[in-house]
Amino acid sequence: MKISRHCARLAVIPLACAAAVPAFGQGNLSETVVTATRNSQPLSATLQHTTVITRDAIERSQATDLATLLQREAGLQRAQNGGIGTVGTVFLRGAPARQTLVLIDGVPQTRQDASGGVGLEHLMLDSIERVEIVRGNVSAIYGSGAIGGVIQIFTRAGSREPAVAITAEVGPRSTRKVAVQASGQVGATRLAAGLSDYRTDGFSAVDTAQFAGANPDRDAYDNQSWNLSLEHALTPQHDIGLRASRSRGDTSYDNPYGAATDRQTSQSRLQQASLYSDYRSGNWRSRLTLSSQHDDSATSDSGLFGSDDRFRTGATTLAWVNTLGLGGDWLGTAGLESQRQRVRTASTSAFVTPYKVQRTADALFAGVEGPLASGQLQFNLRHDKLGPLSATSGFLGYSYPVSPRLRLIASTSTAFNAPPLGYLYAPGFGNPALQPERARSHEIGVQFDQGPHRLRATWFDTRVRSQIDYNPVTFAFANIGRTRNDGLELSYTGKVGSTDLRSSLTLQDPVDASTGKPLIRRSKTLLSLGATQRWGALILDADLSYGGKRDDRYSDPATFASVNTVLAGHSVLDLALAWRLTSAVELRARLDNAADRRYQTVYGYHQQPRSLYLGLRWQPLR
């Protein structure tokens, strides 16, 4: 990886934030996570670079949707075709969406059509309790799709004490939101439920100077979401529960390949439900989960070559995970998964042939973690079989404490990513002979902890072979690509007095290994700076994010020829202010894109201009 002098200067920023660490008070970072190994462990002990976005952090940010919240995290970059609700993708360490696994309450989110992505743009934050982000290859723990890492979303759960919160917000372009959340406990049963409604008239995201044929009308968006959690303690050692959530998003968008009077709309329905049994006996824990996940999408285009299309994908999963204390602080994990994946499409276009197909995906996995030679060892092995395809992946990591505050970390791992069913069997461009993408990753890191301060630096190198790309010669998907990304990731979190500080810097080089050309829509430099300041009843939250220039490619509307271009780098400042009037009432204000930067993350589509939102939160019970 080549790091420019400018990037080297940027690398000083997170280090400077931590330079005064010894001068400040000694707090404790007691946050725990479960995603890094499937087992609960202190955040400070994870081998992979893991971060947590807590409910308190979500409230302080006042962000509306998950995609907006994630762009502030180290190694994460968002690309979106306009404003909220439009099609977007999140790159984690340069990996495309289909190489980053998304879990909701432990349930894998799969989209088996030819897009291969997950509709993060429709996940609202009112129903989310916390988000855990594990960077780097963890395919040996979670299977297909975890080359870039894992983003796990935990929905709101029941609380011991009754809690009720009502939030209302208004903003420009007739934006309005209302959300209600309630939780509590009745006997041995904890429950939580929530509803939210978000609506906006939107703005015209398309740049008509770049795409003259697009409709310059406003792109409205509506979203209705709900979540439900029930957990009952049969005994002190045995819990059973139900988790369910649903998000419905209706979007108007702009298609440049038609007349300016054409209208395009899409509807997405993301829903899931899981039943689980969690049993503990001595040093053994067993969790059995049966889940069902659906992703239904429909698009409508009124143009001359338009059509009405529908894609229904989903999976039913049975998972059994066991954790056993092996003595001497060693912990073993083993489990089985069986998943039935499916996709079904429909279209009114004469050029599109609908299809319906499914497959079974079975997996066996095991792992151990524990102390070895003053350090900590983690080893995982997993074998997956997806229809006629199979793959084995492994992870080996070790951390060594140089001092009570400083530890060195190293890991090596292999991974795979199975082609979605649409890539295999979609009539006209599917290829049943596709093989899984294969990856190998190496990481070396150093982590420093003192009180509330944590500084981590990680060098990573990931190489993917048999990458699945569309072959313009055969007009079908094929295993023809090779990619690589190596880089340096720096992050700092800490607290100075009443101010919370956070910063991250990613210097990466995601390229096509065959040609050496940069991968489209990935910046080589990502920077994020944030601070939360408290003055009694007032809380100010500020986040500045920067993404360097990136290559992009689009199809010319007149000739349909592929055109290469470069998108300029951009910085965005978001501010949020909360004023607690009473113990139950809080006034809110949020200023997105405070400097009113005009920028694009996808060629031809602008992001939202400066926007001021005002809100009220009433929480009579907490």
Side-chain angles (χ1 to χ4, degrees):
M1 181 191 70
K2 297 180 180 178
I3 301 178
S4 68
R5 184 175 300 176
H6 170 66
C7 294
R9 292 194 194 103
L10 288 175
V12 175
I13 296 175
L15 296 172
C17 290
V21 165
F24 299 111
Q26 306 296 307
N28 241 337
L29 290 173
S30 57
E31 189 77 52
T32 60
V33 296
V34 298
T35 307
T37 63
R38 286 188 184 263
N39 300 312
S40 179
Q41 64 178 154
L43 178 60
S44 59
T46 59
L47 297 183
Q48 299 289 89
H49 184 193
T50 303
T51 55
V52 178
I53 308 175
T54 64
R55 183 64 213 175
D56 183 57
I58 293 172
E59 294 285 359
R60 292 197 310 263
S61 74
Q62 299 184 34
T64 299
D65 62 309
L66 180 64
T68 299
L69 186 71
L70 290 177
Q71 70 179 356
R72 305 172 181 180
E73 295 297 309
L76 278 157
Q77 181 180 6
R78 180 185 66 165
Q80 197 158 4
N81 291 22
I84 185 170
T86 56
V87 174
T89 189
V90 172
F91 301 107
L92 181 53
R93 283 190 178 173
R98 58 187 170 82
Q99 292 180 1
T100 299
L101 182 63
V102 177
L103 305 171
I104 299 180
D105 295 325
V107 179
Q109 304 300 298
T110 64
R111 181 176 281 179
Q112 293 295 326
D113 61 6
S115 69
V118 176
L120 294 179
E121 62 272 13
H122 301 299
L123 297 179
M124 301 292 106
L125 293 174
D126 301 288
S127 63
I128 295 176
E129 180 65 30
R130 61 192 275 122
V131 181
E132 294 183 4
I133 304 164
V134 180
R135 296 159 184 81
N137 177 358
V138 284
S139 188
I141 302 174
Y142 292 102
S144 177
I147 293 176
V150 173
I151 300 171
Q152 178 154 209
I153 300 151
F154 297 88
T155 58
R156 308 287 286 270
S159 57
R160 292 182 178 178
E161 300 298 327
V164 176
I166 301 174
T167 304
E169 182 180 273
V170 295
R173 301 173 289 278
S174 299
T175 301
R176 58 274 193 202
K177 183 187 79 169
V178 177
V180 180
Q181 288 286 334
S183 66
Q185 183 167 334
V186 179
T189 303
R190 292 188 186 184
L191 53 91
L195 294 168
S196 70
D197 183 274
Y198 176 91
R199 301 173 188 270
T200 181
D201 289 349
F203 62 97
S204 181
V206 72
D207 189 330
T208 53
Q210 294 172 316
F211 291 136
N215 191 333
D217 64 334
R218 289 187 171 188
D219 304 323
Y221 179 64
D222 294 346
N223 183 286
Q224 290 77 46
S225 300
W226 60 261
N227 61 282
L228 175 67
S229 173
L230 295 171
E231 184 172 81
H232 179 72
L234 293 174
T235 70
Q237 295 79 33
H238 191 187
D239 299 328
I240 59 173
L242 165 69
R243 290 286 184 93
S245 61
R246 186 175 190 266
S247 184
R248 186 187 78 183
D250 296 336
T251 312
S252 295
Y253 66 96
D254 297 316
N255 184 341
Y257 307 103
T261 56
D262 293 348
R263 290 185 56 82
Q264 295 87 25
T265 60
S266 69
Q267 300 82 39
S268 294
R269 310 290 184 264
L270 310 178
Q271 58 188 16
Q272 66 158 19
S274 61
L275 291 168
Y276 63 87
S277 168
D278 196 342
Y279 179 75
R280 301 165 298 280
S281 177
N283 58 358
W284 173 50
R285 179 177 182 178
S286 176
R287 188 177 180 93
L288 184 66
T289 306
L290 176 64
S291 63
S292 179
Q293 173 262 335
H294 298 279
D295 187 337
D296 301 341
S297 300
T299 60
S300 178
D301 189 331
S302 67
L304 178 63
F305 299 104
S307 64
D308 295 325
D309 303 288
R310 182 172 182 179
F311 307 87
R312 181 179 176 88
T313 83
T316 301
T317 305
L318 180 63
W320 186 31
V321 182
N322 296 271
T323 303
L324 180 65
L326 303 177
D329 293 327
W330 279 86
L331 197 64
T333 303
L336 303 166
E337 284 182 357
S338 182
Q339 188 177 95
R340 178 64 61 87
Q341 301 172 345
R342 54 193 175 272
V343 59
R344 183 177 66 192
T345 71
S347 177
T348 61
S349 172
F351 303 100
V352 178
T353 302
Y355 62 99
K356 177 182 178 182
V357 67
Q358 63 183 15
R359 70 180 169 192
T360 299
D362 298 320
L364 172 66
F365 55 88
V368 292
E369 53 188 287
L372 180 66
S374 300
Q376 193 76 11
L377 177 74
Q378 179 184 331
F379 175 69
N380 298 91
L381 194 65
R382 179 177 172 123
H383 181 74
D384 289 80
K385 190 175 188 306
L386 300 93
L389 307 176
S390 64
T392 299
S393 48
F395 175 90
L396 178 62
Y398 185 75
S399 69
Y400 181 79
V402 178
S403 73
R405 296 173 181 170
L406 183 68
R407 65 185 182 120
L408 303 178
I409 307 162
S411 67
T412 182
S413 55
T414 58
F416 79 102
N417 186 41
L421 289 169
Y423 282 43
L424 291 165
Y425 303 114
F429 54 86
N431 180 2
L434 285 176
Q435 295 298 306
E437 300 171 320
R438 309 280 180 167
R440 183 177 295 275
S441 300
H442 306 286
E443 292 189 24
I444 299 174
V446 58
Q447 182 170 301
F448 178 80
D449 289 279
Q450 179 178 347
H453 307 278
R454 173 173 299 136
L455 176 67
R456 177 154 180 156
T458 304
W459 171 84
F460 60 90
D461 178 77
T462 297
R463 297 171 186 264
V464 181
R465 58 185 173 85
S466 299
Q467 177 108 359
I468 300 174
D469 290 317
Y470 181 76
N471 189 336
V473 177
T474 62
F475 303 103
F477 288 108
N479 295 102
I480 57 176
R482 289 191 300 118
T483 64
R484 71 171 188 269
N485 187 19
D486 61 337
L488 178 65
E489 202 169 65
L490 300 171
S491 67
Y492 165 74
T493 58
K495 186 179 182 68
V496 180
S498 60
T499 305
D500 294 318
L501 298 172
R502 53 199 178 270
S503 63
S504 69
L505 173 67
T506 302
L507 306 173
Q508 60 180 359
D509 190 24
V511 298
D512 183 324
S514 302
T515 63
K517 294 181 179 179
L519 299 177
I520 64 170
R521 296 177 186 168
R522 278 82 143 183
S523 296
K524 292 189 175 183
T525 304
L526 302 172
L527 172 68
S528 178
L529 300 172
T532 301
Q533 176 63 51
R534 294 171 174 83
W535 298 282
L538 281 175
I539 300 178
L540 174 65
D541 191 81
D543 276 283
L544 175 66
S545 59
Y546 168 80
K549 67 178 183 178
R550 70 206 73 180
D551 288 51
D552 201 357
R553 186 180 305 121
Y554 68 96
S555 179
D556 185 275
T559 65
F560 294 98
S562 182
V563 181
N564 295 320
T565 187
V566 177
L567 302 179
H570 64 271
S571 57
V572 180
L573 174 64
D574 297 325
L575 302 172
L577 182 66
W579 179 25
R580 186 166 293 281
L581 290 178
T582 70
S583 60
V585 178
E586 182 179 83
L587 296 180
R588 296 178 165 190
R590 185 176 86 252
L591 186 62
D592 289 346
N593 192 4
D596 201 24
R597 298 293 188 187
R598 187 174 174 86
Y599 68 101
Q600 297 180 351
T601 59
V602 175
Y603 179 83
Y605 296 92
H606 293 291
Q607 297 297 295
Q608 79 163 331
R610 179 167 49 212
S611 303
L612 175 64
Y613 301 89
L614 301 176
L616 173 69
R617 181 175 177 82
W618 182 50
Q619 196 169 4
L621 298 174
R622 67 172 68 204

